[in-house]
Amino acid sequence: MSEDVFAAGDDVGRDLAAVDWAATPLGPPEQWPQSLRTSVSILLSSRFPMWMAWGPQLTFFCNAAYRRDTLGQKYPWALGRPASDVWAEIWGDIGPRIDTVLAAGEATWDEALLLFLERSGYTEESYHTFSYSPLRDDDGALVGMLCVVSEETERVIGERRMATLRDLGSDPSAVRTESQMLAFAGAQLGHNRRDLPFTLTYLLDDGAARLAATTGIDAGHPIAAHAWPAAQLARGESVLVPLTGDLPAGDLPTGDWAEPPREALLLPLLQQGGAPYGFLVAAINRFRELDEAYRGFLTLVAGHVAAGVASARNYEAQQRRAEELTELDRAKTAFFSNISHEFRTPLTLIMGPAEELHSRTDIRDEGVRADLDVIHRNGLRLGKLVNTLLDFSRIEAGRMQAGFEPVDLSATTTELASVFRSAIERAGLAFEVDCPPLAQPVHLDREMWEKVVLNLLSNALKFTFTGTVRVAVRADGDRAVVTVTDTGIGVPADEMPRLFERFHRIENARSRSNEGSGIGLALVKELVELNGGTITADSTVGAGTTFVIRLPFGAGHLPAGGGTTGVSATADPYVQEALRWVPGAAEEAPEVVAPATGARVLIADDNADMRDYLTRLLRSAGHRVEAVGDGQAALESARAQNPDLVVSDVMMPRLGGLELVAALRADPRTAGTPVLLLSARAGQEAAIEGLEAGADDYLVKPFSAAELLARVRANVELARLRNHHARWRTALIDSLQEAFFVCDDDGAIIEMNSTFADILGYGPEGLPYVPVHPWWPDPAADPEGYQQVTGAFGMLIEQSRGTYTIPVIHRDGHRLWVAAAFNKVADPETGRHVIVGTFRDVTAEHYAVQRESALAVLSVRLSQAESLTGALQGCWSRCASCGRRRRSARWSSATPTPRPSSPPTRS
């Protein structure tokens, strides 16, 4: 009978059946009333956690779900015992609720009730949602209660910890410094005194731990001065320490509990790529086990604090850096202001005597006059740079004072634009000026406006190579609008936000000159704003740029002031500099006949005066000189006619000096060409950078003529000694009457002699020639010839040596036959195998053999003919066969397949 009562309970049912029920007030199960038997059956068959109490001692029953979720170590001891014994530790909480159920017969309800259970070997914080319902016997009397329960410990504690982490992760804008961050973190940790009864945050200063923040405990508590173990913390490991034993005396805070914690976990405040910032001492809730979830929560807390320390220190470092930069900026502004004034005196003493000498009529040496012109032009340019720096320093210091006056903006702008017309038109650009009269004047500083317009026009000419430069003025409501538009290279979208930033320059932008201070547009913006206006820019790469200036009409926004009239002398430096950018502006240096033994020197510099100066200097020393305006032109010239020396500026448009060196070294034709770099960048680092790029020598501007000539002579002589064997080898190869070629192991032609170019028409300018080589027969027009060449190429790649005769197509389209021989050799420098071969034109021999063969066959046919008719038919058949072959050859020659002028690219 007892087996039937407990049949639904599996293991719990078997354990209930094993209880000595006769020793309990309920007696043997065979004597139980039907109501008890039914209640036990319902209890055991339910999959929801339940327990029940029955009889005068409220004897304890439970099901498997309750055993698994709640009972813990009390199972199976609790079965059949009085409920007051089973839950003695919480009877003060649940006893009154059970009494209410038994007395009134009404069910109870509690949600997430905190109960301290002793089911795991220690007093445990737990949370339960449950209901007590009355149970009646067969007569309807109240004899017990049924508890349906859901434990919510993990949910409640998890939500509590997540709230702490969420609050720690918030980023209030007021938190910036380290102390603010620690105060903020402490406030968030102080909201969770159950998981964190108290915390101590220590930061390491030169290896010594300093208490930086506390929560839940006073900073003066004796435990705050304890020497915590630091060895494991320094290795990034956490340490669990007991809060007993040799710790300093003093009552520990309890947090939200009635009893103090017994352990604390020390967690390092980890720094990425460095030693920990410090460590966090987190007291452990004595009513929860330090399991993986609890340890993970504390680790995340320490991670948030460490991240806050890192953020605060980064912010403070940025603040210090900003203050240093501000101070540096002030010092730089003061320096520019002082140095600009200091420059004016020597500049005056240079310009004055130069102009006086130039005006003298007794100087008849044109070379001297040319040198004076160079001094004058570059003195103007230097004066412009000095004035720009002075203007900028005055603006930065707030000392720039504008003298405002009513100005006819259209007429003034037209007059300023006109001084640039000759330079713009000489550059081959169209120049449009659309400045109709405005209804009212604009109050501005005339000299400032000159600098604005001249800077914008200079900028437009510098970056525009084809198309138009346009200046327009119009009225738009209460403002005058001035636009300067060009069809130049444009500005990339990612560079637009920095367009008006001082000293910012767009790297590798194509321009007529790479020279410039990088403050022209920044100065324009400052000057426009000083005149009460605004300036914006819109640009499209490859289409051009438009600058739009808006100036208010009237004088309400500006104080009236005096000003100058007419175009000031500030226009001359802008125009003189612009004229040196455009073709035909630079006067060619007088030609000096150099001896045949003089070196061939290639000069690359974007400054026309510097090109002229270097050209005159080197020609006077007996060298043959070619001068180009940028690195790309120098590279093309060096490839076409290998010079003895390249003298190049470092900063140039299209291709700078360092990039030019790299390109020369990468090309086998120019790899040995010596390069002398000239640069205004002084210092050991700049020289090392140039030499590491592959340059042979590095000379810093300004330099003396004697030093330049000495270095040119030394580099040329060293190069000649170094390249003697290479030049001798080249001369020998070029002297061969047969075509000579070298292939890499993929079959690409990487070297050839002049006879090769004479026979096929393809010269060294197209190297390397990669397969399929451009002289191969067309596979559609001449499949038989193409097949012959393909087979020969396979033999060339696969065999170590051999010979072959193949048809090829000359660059002009006619067909040739060449006989080639090849052999594989090892490159002594790299160890890789290369293929060395020669070939000769055997077209005449080939067709002579064909004719002799045809005549021999014809003779045989004639001798074998038995009649005149047979003889004629044999002759006709042979002639027709020969004619077909000749027509095929002529057709291939007469209709050559179009071929590219440069070798095809290997797929």
Side-chain angles (χ1 to χ4, degrees), residues 670-858:
T670 57
T673 303
V675 179
L676 169 60
L677 289 180
L678 307 177
S679 177
R681 295 171 57 197
Q684 187 178 25
E685 297 81 3
I688 291 173
E689 181 183 12
L691 295 174
E692 287 183 344
D696 296 84
D697 205 349
Y698 192 94
L699 190 57
V700 177
K701 301 174 183 177
F703 49 81
S704 67
E707 183 180 10
L708 174 69
L709 292 175
R711 294 202 184 204
V712 168
R713 182 174 59 255
N715 278 284
V716 169
E717 291 176 356
L718 286 173
R720 284 176 173 173
L721 288 174
R722 188 168 57 239
N723 297 331
H724 172 72
H725 292 292
R727 292 177 183 271
W728 178 244
R729 173 180 173 273
T730 301
L732 288 177
I733 291 174
D734 280 339
S735 68
L736 294 176
Q737 295 183 359
E738 290 189 340
F740 174 85
F741 64 91
V742 178
C743 295
D744 63 16
D745 50 9
D746 292 325
I749 305 292
I750 58 175
E751 186 177 350
M752 62 174 59
N753 66 353
S754 57
T755 308
F756 187 108
D758 294 340
I759 294 176
L760 291 184
Y762 293 93
E765 71 280 352
L767 289 174
Y769 291 102
V770 298
V772 171
H773 303 131
W775 47 85
W776 286 24
D778 186 87
D782 186 7
E784 181 180 354
Y786 183 82
Q787 188 63 34
Q788 288 178 289
V789 175
T790 303
F793 182 75
M795 181 173 64
L796 180 78
I797 297 298
E798 297 169 4
Q799 298 183 12
S800 61
R801 65 184 61 191
T803 60
Y804 54 83
T805 301
I806 57 171
V808 292
I809 307 300
H810 191 276
R811 191 177 195 126
D812 63 11
H814 74 271
R815 182 185 177 109
L816 302 171
W817 285 85
V818 296
F822 67 89
N823 190 22
K824 283 189 177 180
V825 296
D827 188 324
E829 293 183 0
T830 65
R832 294 185 60 185
H833 282 85
V834 295
I835 304 165
V836 178
T838 61
F839 66 83
R840 59 190 179 86
D841 184 354
V842 296
T843 306
E845 294 94 322
H846 177 78
Y847 287 126
V849 170
Q850 284 189 337
R851 287 195 299 270
E852 293 297 330
S853 298
L855 289 174
V857 171
L858 184 60

Side-chain angles (χ1 to χ4, degrees), residues 8 17 53 188 211 300 360 434 456 465 472 640-641 692 759 789 803 848 881:
Q188 310 313 313
L211 181 63
L300 290 173
R360 288 173 56 176
D434 181 18
L456 291 179
F465 296 88
Q641 189 175 10
E692 287 183 344
I759 294 176
V789 175
T803 60
S881 175

